[in-house]
Amino acid sequence: MASRNPLYLDRLRVRHGTALTAAAAVLAAAAASGCAGDNGSPGAGNSCDSPGVSADELRIGLVFPNEGTIGEALNTVRNGVDTRLGLVNDAGGIHGRTITYTWRDDQGTPQANEVVVHDLVDSGAVFAVLEASTGASGGADYLRTRGVPAVGLPIEDIWADPAYPNMFTFPSVVAGGSASGVFGRYIKAQGGTQAVIVSTDSVVAAQRFAPLIEQSLVAVRIPTERLAYNSTITNPARFASQLRASDADVLILDLPPADGPEIVAAARAAGRTFRVVLAAAGYGKETIERHGASIAGFTTFSTYLPFEANTPAQQTYLHAAQQYAPELQPPDEDVAYGSYIATDILVHGLNAAGPCPTQEGFIQALRAVSDYNAGGLLPGRIAFDKSAEQPPGCLSFTQVNAAGTAFELVPHVRPGEPSHTEWCDEQPPGSS
């Protein structure tokens, strides 16, 4: 199991502006231009003249930071992209075309991003842009003006802005600033009645989740209180005494990955336990190795299905990663997994856009998709036709088992639920 943080991509977005940073077949008729051959495959008589489209190739642009602290954090992006494109190309490509890419380094900054996006688009050599960067906002206006499709990781708020209908991604808990009702439903189902939310007063990046989960808890009538934790001023044992004074039976931790588990272990040592412990960060092998049974019940969440679910779609991904990105170790690494899903959205859109794709057709076709789930890698389904700023309709939860030896999927066992691997709001995207 790789060391991953369910809010890792969100954290990259907010960390980049702080001192911590040194760092989708729908409406095919509407999408196609009508110049395809009778067999639906590109042929010698076709005259598709969209940028980046030839008789046997469809070229996209890939933008990501290649060096520095941010580049290091995102250094497995190409592994995820290569894995998904390897699968589709070996299966015959999209309508007979092989997908290739030209990549550019934007250094993770809006200024550099605007420059490289201009370079890729002005050359007329790319059909769409795939981005994994903390600087995607830099070239967003230009891509929108030119009507160029963009797909990427939800690291910045720009991906959740409905003013950019050409931009597509999968759900983010934080980007967009809307509260998901899933948290309240989950905590109430566990028997939670009162919550204490712990956030740090020293890192802006770790304060983004707290107000959102507070809204979700208020919506299900679970009262909350706030406590601030600063690891440079106090320590877990001393802070545990503050928790002992609280009547809460739910502990919410909006803290850096190392701090949350330490507080839980210290509270347990002091005789203070909670019915629910939910953390924004701390999922990973190192958490188990360091704390073991002292943090049994410690729970994290994800906007994509964690590998503990062990689904056929995840096995397909893992086997493909071994074939097309053998250097990716371990293959369940977070950024590569997210990049694979983002690339799958692009592939889904290209399929929907028809045998003679146009950029406008791609955008219209993908916006018409209302049941996307990356082939089973996302909990619930995305409705791209709805506002991009809507919160995630479904989440997955994992918690440390009683023996403290592993994270395990928290099943949704209530009768009538569509899946045991996901927790959804009353009306998740794509359900209506």
Side-chain angles (χ1 to χ4, degrees):
M1 175 172 55
S3 173
R4 302 200 314 277
N5 173 0
L7 278 180
Y8 184 60
L9 300 177
D10 295 317
R11 297 301 189 209
L12 281 176
R13 172 179 52 76
V14 287
R15 279 166 49 198
H16 180 51
T18 71
L20 289 187
T21 303
V26 181
L27 294 186
S33 66
C35 62
D38 291 339
N39 64 359
S41 299
N46 288 347
S47 57
C48 300
D49 58 359
S50 294
V53 180
S54 67
D56 56 6
E57 181 184 26
L58 200 158
R59 182 168 290 274
I60 63 173
L62 174 60
V63 177
F64 63 96
N66 191 48
E67 298 179 347
T69 303
I70 303 170
E72 182 179 352
L74 292 168
N75 66 359
T76 60
V77 164
R78 291 184 68 176
N79 298 128
V81 175
D82 289 344
T83 297
R84 186 64 189 94
L85 294 186
L87 278 175
V88 68
N89 287 334
D90 274 2
I94 301 294
H95 300 291
R97 296 185 180 92
T98 298
I99 307 177
T100 62
Y101 64 80
T102 298
W103 72 272
R104 294 287 185 271
D105 178 5
D106 74 346
Q107 304 167 36
T109 69
Q111 297 80 7
N113 181 270
E114 183 175 16
V115 172
V116 300
V117 164
H118 270 265
D119 178 39
L120 289 168
V121 174
D122 292 346
S123 69
V126 301
F127 180 85
V129 176
L130 182 59
E131 302 195 68
S133 174
T134 53
S137 56
D141 285 337
Y142 183 68
L143 291 174
R144 178 178 59 180
T145 299
R146 293 293 298 269
V148 178
V151 182
L153 298 181
I155 302 175
E156 297 177 275
D157 283 344
I158 193 75
W159 293 101
D161 191 336
Y164 295 84
N166 62 311
M167 299 183 71
F168 301 87
T169 189
F170 52 87
S172 165
V173 169
V174 174
S178 298
S180 173
V182 182
F183 294 113
R185 290 195 70 196
Y186 174 83
I187 290 171
K188 204 165 187 69
Q190 309 307 311
T193 61
Q194 184 174 336
V196 55
I197 302 175
V198 181
S199 58
T200 177
D201 59 2
S202 62
V203 183
V204 174
Q207 298 178 21
R208 184 87 177 206
F209 173 59
L212 298 182
I213 194 165
E214 189 170 39
Q215 293 174 45
S216 189
L217 292 175
V218 169
V220 294
R221 296 181 174 82
I222 294 179
T224 65
E225 60 177 305
R226 294 273 202 109
L227 286 178
Y229 177 74
N230 188 327
S231 59
T232 64
I233 297 175
T234 188
N235 60 57
R238 190 177 303 124
F239 189 75
S241 64
Q242 290 182 255
L243 292 177
R244 292 189 67 179
S246 170
D247 294 327
D249 55 6
V250 178
L251 176 62
I252 306 297
L253 297 164
D254 186 17
L255 297 170
D259 290 348
E262 289 186 348
I263 287 175
V264 174
R268 186 184 293 271
R272 183 65 165 96
T273 59
F274 295 87
R275 188 182 298 272
V276 182
V277 176
L278 182 60
Y283 174 95
K285 181 180 179 180
E286 70 280 5
T287 297
I288 296 293
E289 291 176 342
R290 182 169 183 177
H291 300 287
S294 68
I295 58 167
F298 178 88
T299 306
T300 60
F301 59 91
S302 179
T303 55
Y304 39 74
L305 207 59
F307 283 96
E308 284 79 6
N310 195 29
T311 65
Q314 291 175 325
Q315 288 303 310
T316 295
Y317 165 75
L318 292 172
H319 293 152
Q322 291 177 351
Q323 181 176 357
Y324 302 110
E327 69 278 9
L328 177 63
Q329 296 298 329
D332 59 349
E333 191 276 335
D334 207 39
V335 172
Y337 191 31
S339 298
Y340 178 93
I341 294 172
T343 309
D344 186 76
I345 295 175
L346 178 71
V347 169
H348 198 90
L350 290 171
N351 268 315
C356 196
T358 65
Q359 292 171 320
E360 180 181 1
F362 175 102
I363 294 169
Q364 291 177 351
L366 195 47
R367 281 291 166 214
V369 173
S370 61
D371 60 351
Y372 176 81
N373 71 345
L377 298 180
L378 296 174
R381 295 180 178 271
I382 302 174
F384 288 119
D385 59 321
K386 297 184 179 181
S387 171
E389 64 180 349
Q390 63 187 345
C394 299
L395 296 169
S396 291
F397 294 85
T398 53
Q399 68 178 199
V400 177
N401 62 20
T405 56
F407 276 91
E408 296 179 348
L409 198 68
V410 182
H412 200 158
V413 295
R414 190 175 72 173
E417 291 296 331
S419 171
H420 293 331
T421 63
E422 59 195 42
W423 292 74
C424 298
D425 211 342
E426 293 292 349
Q427 287 188 315
S431 64
S432 59

